[in-house]
């Protein structure tokens, strides 16, 4: 019905224009058509304006609920993904890990062998024995010093030797602890040929970079393990939308291989803008799912709630060449009415109003509310005639 009315109005306007153009004896009409219209400007005589039934309005400040459409992916926090290497080089004697296998924290995931492990334990036992003797010697020299039997230099030498061996013994003990050597067993004389590598967290194996017999160094990454119990959604939000975001806002997202939406909440908003003019937003999932995979692509809508924005009635907007426009009445002194076609960016819509962003400041008034498509039709018709 609306299109039918527009068609009638356009037909009437066109008829008036044709009659006006054909009547060469009307001075006022001749003055209107003695010059070319400006690009993007529509001119109407009072009669054409009355026939079109054009009405005006002003952009209003309205509360319009909206959502920010963004892309992102599932990710895990840094503390829930681990790259495993060895503190001291060795040969892989045993491992049974495969990609995708679940592991538990504290589980043996590899066994390494190296003669250096044996030498380190031997050094520890030797230093421990020397420290035991140095401790007794230091105590003896202290006792003699109290009785003024020995020289102060002798006591100082005994103390230096004792402290040096203490530091050495403590250092080797820490190295053995990092290698997971059983110290109580070693102190009883049991030397291990191999050391075990344990899983630091529970999760799933995502990378296996070794094989049996391979020599690995501390610079090598043997395995990667990811705990998927607490995945989060990492969203990429454009700079212009960041002011609309708040902690706690609801996020509805859909994974690449799903149709049913899931929900999350905004937990952290990045404080750095990337070279692509985007900000990272960290969201917590409301329902955990250990079957989800990190890196899965997702599309999301961040519900930003109602906000005061500049808005116009939906009828004021016209679409042309995939762009949105409004018509604004230009001030003038003659009887001809001039309407400027102004490009705008559309935002969210609600209750018959649509948010618009003007290229500059919003016009104070005189935005065409009804009859905008009639003006667009006349503008296009004028362009076609000029082309001929």
């Amino acid at each position: 019905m609306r299109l039918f009315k527009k068609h009638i109005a356009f037909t009437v306007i066109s008829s008036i224009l044709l009659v006006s153009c054909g009547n060469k004896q009307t001075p006022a009409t001749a003055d209107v058509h003695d010059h070319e219209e400006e690009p993007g400007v529509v001119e109407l005589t009072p009669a054409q304006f009355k026939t079109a039934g054009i009405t005006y309005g002003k952009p209003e400040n309205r509360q319009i609920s909206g959502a920010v459409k963004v892309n992102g992916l599932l990710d895990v926090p840094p503390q829930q993904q681990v790259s495993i290497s060895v503190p001291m080089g060795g040969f892989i004697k045993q491992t049974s890990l495969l990609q995708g296998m679940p592991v538990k924290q504290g589980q043996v995931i590899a066994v390494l062998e190296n003669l250096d492990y044996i030498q380190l334990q031997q050094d520890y036992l030797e230093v421990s024995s020397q420290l035991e003797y140095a401790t007794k010697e230091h105590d003896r020299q202290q006792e003699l010093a109290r009785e003024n039997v020995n020289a102060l230099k002798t006591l100082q030498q005994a103390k230096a030797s004792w402290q040096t061996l203490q530091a050495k013994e403590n250092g080797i003990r820490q190295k053995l602890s990092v290698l997971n050597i059983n110290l109580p067993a070693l102190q009883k004389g049991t030397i291990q040929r191999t050391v075990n590598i344990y899983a630091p967290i529970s999760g799933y194996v995502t990378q296996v970079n070794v094989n049996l017999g391979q020599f690995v160094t501390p610079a090598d990454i043997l395995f990667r393990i990811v705990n998927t119990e607490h995945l989060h959604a990492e969203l990429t939000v454009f700079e212009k939308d960041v002011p609309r975001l708040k902690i706690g806002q609801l996020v509805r997202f859909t994974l690449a291989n799903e149709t049913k939406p899931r929900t999350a909440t905004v937990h952290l908003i990045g404080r750095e803008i990337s070279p692509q003019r985007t900000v990272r937003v960290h969201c917590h999932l409301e329902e955990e799912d250990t079957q989800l995979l990190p890196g899965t692509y997702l599309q999301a809508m961040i519900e930003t709630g109602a906000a005061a924005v500049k808005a116009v009635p939906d009828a004021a907007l016209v679409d042309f060449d995939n762009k949105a426009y409004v018509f604004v009445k230009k001030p003038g002194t003659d009887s001809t009415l001039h309407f400027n076609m102004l490009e705008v960016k559309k935002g969210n819509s609600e209750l018959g109003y649509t948010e618009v962003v003007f290229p500059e400041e919003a016009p104070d008034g005189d935005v065409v509310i009804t009859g905008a498509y009639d003006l667009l039709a006349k503008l296009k018709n004028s362009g076609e005639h000029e082309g001929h």
Side-chain angles (χ1 to χ4, degrees):
M1 180 62 71
R2 180 181 174 185
L3 293 175
F4 179 67
K5 289 180 179 178
K6 290 179 181 175
H7 179 69
I8 292 175
F10 173 60
T11 304
V12 172
I13 292 173
S14 300
S15 299
I16 293 173
L17 289 173
L18 291 173
V19 172
S20 300
C21 291
N23 189 357
K24 302 294 185 179
Q25 298 176 358
T26 306
T29 307
D31 291 341
V32 171
H33 294 281
D34 282 345
H35 66 279
E36 293 184 359
E37 295 182 356
E38 299 177 38
V41 176
V42 181
E43 298 180 359
L44 293 182
T45 64
Q48 293 170 337
F49 174 78
K50 183 177 180 181
T51 303
I54 292 174
T55 61
Y56 303 121
K58 295 182 179 181
E60 302 178 24
N61 288 320
R62 293 183 68 92
Q63 294 283 335
I64 293 182
S65 298
V68 178
K69 186 177 181 180
V70 297
N71 297 325
L73 49 82
L74 293 179
D75 203 356
V76 292
Q79 64 269 25
Q80 290 182 230
Q81 49 184 339
V82 179
S83 298
I84 300 173
S85 56
V86 292
M88 188 173 181
F91 294 92
I92 302 293
K93 184 177 182 180
Q94 179 184 334
T95 184
S96 58
L97 292 192
L98 296 173
Q99 275 191 327
M101 287 182 61
V103 294
K104 295 292 184 181
Q105 185 176 7
Q107 175 183 334
V108 176
I109 56 177
V111 178
L112 275 69
E113 187 177 42
N114 194 342
L115 293 177
D116 290 342
Y117 305 154
I118 299 174
Q119 183 62 52
L120 190 61
Q121 295 172 80
Q122 181 180 334
D123 292 344
Y124 175 78
L125 293 176
E126 291 176 355
V127 170
S128 294
S129 178
Q130 293 171 5
L131 178 60
E132 184 179 356
Y133 171 79
T135 301
K136 293 178 180 179
E137 179 63 17
H138 174 258
D139 293 342
R140 190 175 72 85
Q141 292 298 332
Q142 273 191 323
E143 184 64 28
L144 293 174
R146 281 193 292 266
E147 298 175 1
N148 296 320
V149 174
N150 64 341
L152 179 60
K153 181 179 179 181
T154 304
L155 175 60
Q156 290 175 339
Q157 289 176 338
K159 183 177 181 180
S161 177
W162 170 65
Q163 290 178 332
T164 299
L165 289 171
Q166 263 191 326
K168 190 173 182 179
E169 193 258 1
N170 186 50
I172 298 176
R173 186 193 303 119
Q174 296 302 322
K175 291 180 181 179
L176 295 174
S177 179
V178 172
L179 287 172
N180 298 313
I181 298 293
N182 188 333
L183 282 176
L186 177 59
Q187 289 167 350
K188 295 178 182 179
T190 303
I191 294 179
Q192 300 176 213
R193 294 179 52 186
T194 60
V195 299
N196 295 334
I197 304 298
Y198 300 95
I201 63 171
S202 298
Y204 292 88
V205 179
T206 59
Q207 284 187 27
V208 178
N209 302 319
V210 296
N211 53 263
L212 294 181
Q214 178 180 345
F215 184 83
V216 294
T217 68
D220 298 325
I221 295 176
L222 282 59
F223 313 101
R224 292 188 191 273
I225 298 175
V226 173
N227 185 334
T228 58
E229 289 185 359
H230 301 289
L231 287 173
H232 64 259
E234 199 75 15
L235 307 180
T236 302
V237 179
F238 285 105
E239 176 186 6
K240 65 180 180 65
D241 295 320
V242 173
R244 302 169 61 185
L245 303 184
K246 294 180 181 179
I247 303 298
Q249 287 175 331
L250 181 66
V251 179
R252 302 184 187 277
F253 67 94
T254 306
L255 300 179
N257 56 346
E258 295 181 347
T259 56
K260 183 180 178 180
R262 298 172 182 260
T263 55
T265 53
V266 175
H267 184 67
L268 292 172
I269 300 173
R271 290 294 181 265
E272 182 180 11
I273 299 175
S274 71
Q276 292 75 36
R277 314 309 299 173
T278 60
V279 171
R280 300 292 292 273
V281 176
H282 177 94
C283 303
H284 283 182
L285 276 60
E286 293 192 349
E287 292 186 9
E288 302 287 355
D289 188 343
T290 58
Q291 300 305 310
L292 297 179
L293 299 177
T296 302
Y297 175 80
L298 61 86
Q299 292 182 319
M301 298 289 288
I302 305 175
E303 297 186 3
T304 57
V309 295
K310 288 290 183 183
V312 297
D314 294 341
L317 289 162
V318 296
D319 293 320
F320 181 61
D321 286 343
N322 296 320
K323 296 179 180 179
Y325 297 89
V326 296
F327 284 93
V328 180
K329 182 179 180 301
K330 297 179 63 178
T333 57
D334 57 3
S335 60
T336 304
L337 289 91
H338 301 258
F339 299 92
N340 185 34
M341 188 176 180
L342 182 65
E343 182 182 351
V344 296
K345 292 184 179 181
K346 292 196 298 185
N348 299 296
S349 299
E350 187 175 42
L351 300 175
Y353 280 78
T354 298
E355 176 189 355
V356 290
V357 179
F358 293 90
E360 298 176 355
E361 292 186 4
D364 294 333
D366 296 333
V367 173
V368 173
I369 301 301
T370 57
Y373 269 99
D374 295 325
L375 295 177
L376 177 65
K378 182 180 184 306
L379 184 66
K380 292 171 63 179
N381 186 61
S382 299
E384 290 173 0
H385 282 295
E386 290 174 3
H388 291 294

